[in-house]
Amino acid sequence: MRKGLLYLCLSVLLTSVMHAEISITSESLQEKRINKQLKWVKATKVIPGTKIRYLNTVSNTGEQAAEDLVITNPVPKHMQYLEGSAKCAGACTITYSLDGKVFKAPDKLFVTEMGKKRKARASEYKAVKWVIERLGAKQRSSVQFDAVLE
Amino acid sequence: MRRIVCTVLLWMAAGMTALLAKGVPAGTEISNFATVSYQMDGVSYSTTSNTLSDRVDQIIDVNVVWNDASPVIVANGDIDKVLTFKVTNTGNGEDTFTLLYSADAASDFAVTDPKIYIDTNNNGVFDPSIDNEAYSLTLAAEASTAVFLVADIPADSYPSGSISDNLLEAKSTIGGSGTPGTVYPDAGVDGVTAVDGMNGGVDKQLGTYEIGSELGVSLTKSATPESAEVATGTLIQYDIAVALQGNGSVENLVVTDPIPSGTTYVAGSLKLDGVALTDAEDSDEGRFDGNAVEVKLGTATQTDTLPFGRMITFEVRIE
């Protein structure tokens, strides 16, 4: 069942790539102490409490610039988004969503709890969105966020 | 349209594993993907990234607590006395723990024939005919079970208050190095990496037996007013007879009696067996501290031929 799904996704991916020259790659990294220094390496030891950095690299392999790039990344299930961790390599606008559909700035996200409205906690974010105005031909850029495994 | 269907199905796949209240279970797949949409020459495009799948590794850990609220009182020569422990798998995957008994060297006496039983019927109480003697215990993540240490008390003559400390250890069979962070590649559930947690995958706890006192101390208090009519200024003499029930010794026996409200202690009236004691705290047995009289009787011993009995007296005056 899952294998079939993967093929389906791959075929969809290939179709998309043929359409245009923008690709996006997702990596998961974790901190590791190497020679007394903390470095981000490929995530291999993931246990409850582990902080994971999701790094998405967008590449424009074409000859034309792309505009209005909107990158969305649902916060994976069992992971809690870490406040203030979403970043991008250049200039971008970052918004967050509590339902994966409506994206807003942190101070405009509210949760109703026992009849009372309160500001949403970062750990309640379900998705992150980055908007980049332009990615030139033969250019690449990246966006990232950190989350902790429950 | 096809892309959207694909995304939805992936979400469902990620959500199939049951979520526990504390700690995602070992083996759970954590999936991530991102999408990008953009404009090129006024045409909208969209593409999805690869789907990452990280499997949750196994934290190995165990917690042992001693569940009896206070030392289990025993007598010399008792058999099958029970100490109750609770063993909890505090890791995020199933594990089998080795159960090990050891005597603590600091004890006054050592038990004999120690055996470990698992609370097979999960009622928290040792049932000799139901619970199984076992030295390994398999527990699901977050699960716990009562474990009983059953041992005999030597037929000796340890005095009351003697204690026997006994250790129950539970150690993971996947890890259990004792050093947090020790890694066991592919050793966890479903072949994930296993890592010793905060306790290093092993924990132990002391449980205590104590030889009980077979003696009872009894105090009999009586009041004798100086006149039949009790009024302000009347003098009352109190007598406290101290006795032991049973044969043996009681250490550090102290009798304390607060002066009744509405009365004033008569200075210098405290006596033990008719011998006056000073009110000050000094070399004699008694004192008056402003609120109560206190008499230190030290070690009290009674045998069939030498009965124990002391009499404390003091006077108060009604205000």
Side-chain angles (χ1 to χ4, degrees), chain A residues 1-2 5-6 8-9 11-13 15-17 19-28 42-48 52 54 56 58 60 64-79 126 145 149-150, chain B residues 2-3 5-7 9-11 13-20 22-25 28-41 45-59 92 181 183 193 195:
Chain A
M1 171 62 193
R2 197 171 285 188
L5 233 157
L6 205 69
L8 173 64
C9 290
S11 68
V12 172
L13 251 175
T15 337
S16 317
V17 168
H19 269 289
E21 290 97 355
I22 295 277
S23 66
I24 181 164
T25 316
S26 186
E27 294 172 82
S28 58
K42 187 174 164 21
T44 51
K45 202 178 86 182
V46 183
I47 53 176
I52 299 283
Y54 289 104
N56 300 316
V58 187
N60 183 356
Q64 276 182 301
E67 283 166 354
D68 299 331
L69 290 94
V70 179
I71 302 158
T72 27
N73 194 148
V75 176
K77 209 168 175 75
H78 305 304
M79 300 293 299
K126 292 281 184 289
F145 72 96
L149 182 62
E150 286 167 352
Chain B
R2 279 176 75 199
R3 189 185 59 77
V5 170
C6 176
T7 308
L9 285 174
L10 274 171
W11 270 103
M16 273 175 207
T17 327
L19 176 68
L20 283 189
K22 192 181 124 195
V24 177
T28 306
E29 285 193 11
I30 305 294
S31 302
N32 186 62
F33 65 93
T35 56
V36 58
S37 66
Y38 56 98
Q39 303 271 322
M40 219 176 240
D41 272 346
Y45 297 96
S46 160
T47 183
T48 303
S49 76
N50 56 305
T51 298
L52 286 170
S53 187
D54 291 312
R55 280 223 285 173
V56 176
D57 291 321
Q58 185 168 2
I59 298 181
N92 64 339
V183 177
T193 298
V195 186

Side-chain angles (χ1 to χ4, degrees), chain A residues 79-91:
Chain A
M79 300 293 299
Q80 287 189 358
Y81 173 79
L82 269 179
E83 187 163 16
S85 66
K87 288 175 181 136
C88 60

Side-chain angles (χ1 to χ4, degrees), chain B residues 60-84:
Chain B
I60 295 166
D61 236 336
V62 61
N63 177 251
V64 181
V65 291
W66 176 40
N67 255 9
D68 299 304
S70 54
V72 170
I73 302 300
V74 296
N76 290 303
D78 274 354
I79 56 159
D80 288 348
K81 298 310 282 187
V82 180
L83 293 178
T84 305

Side-chain angles (χ1 to χ4, degrees), chain B residues 54-178:
Chain B
D54 291 312
R55 280 223 285 173
V56 176
D57 291 321
Q58 185 168 2
I59 298 181
I60 295 166
D61 236 336
V62 61
N63 177 251
V64 181
V65 291
W66 176 40
N67 255 9
D68 299 304
S70 54
V72 170
I73 302 300
V74 296
N76 290 303
D78 274 354
I79 56 159
D80 288 348
K81 298 310 282 187
V82 180
L83 293 178
T84 305
F85 296 85
K86 190 168 122 186
V87 178
T88 305
N89 178 356
T90 49
N92 64 339
E94 184 179 281
D95 200 348
T96 299
F97 302 96
T98 305
L99 302 174
L100 187 74
Y101 163 81
S102 63
D104 188 75
S107 299
D108 297 327
F109 67 96
V111 296
T112 55
D113 199 20
K115 292 190 183 103
I116 295 169
Y117 286 79
I118 288 168
D119 189 15
T120 312
N121 61 350
N122 236 346
N123 67 348
V125 181
F126 178 54
D127 304 298
S129 57
I130 300 167
D131 296 335
N132 292 326
E133 184 179 352
Y135 296 84
S136 95
L137 172 64
T138 300
L139 288 172
E142 311 279 329
S144 59
T145 292
V147 171
F148 308 106
L149 174 67
V150 181
D152 298 343
I153 312 303
D156 220 309
S157 53
Y158 294 106
S160 77
S162 300
I163 59 159
S164 172
D165 282 333
N166 299 277
L167 282 162
L168 179 78
E169 180 184 276
K171 185 176 173 182
S172 164
T173 53
I174 298 175
S177 67

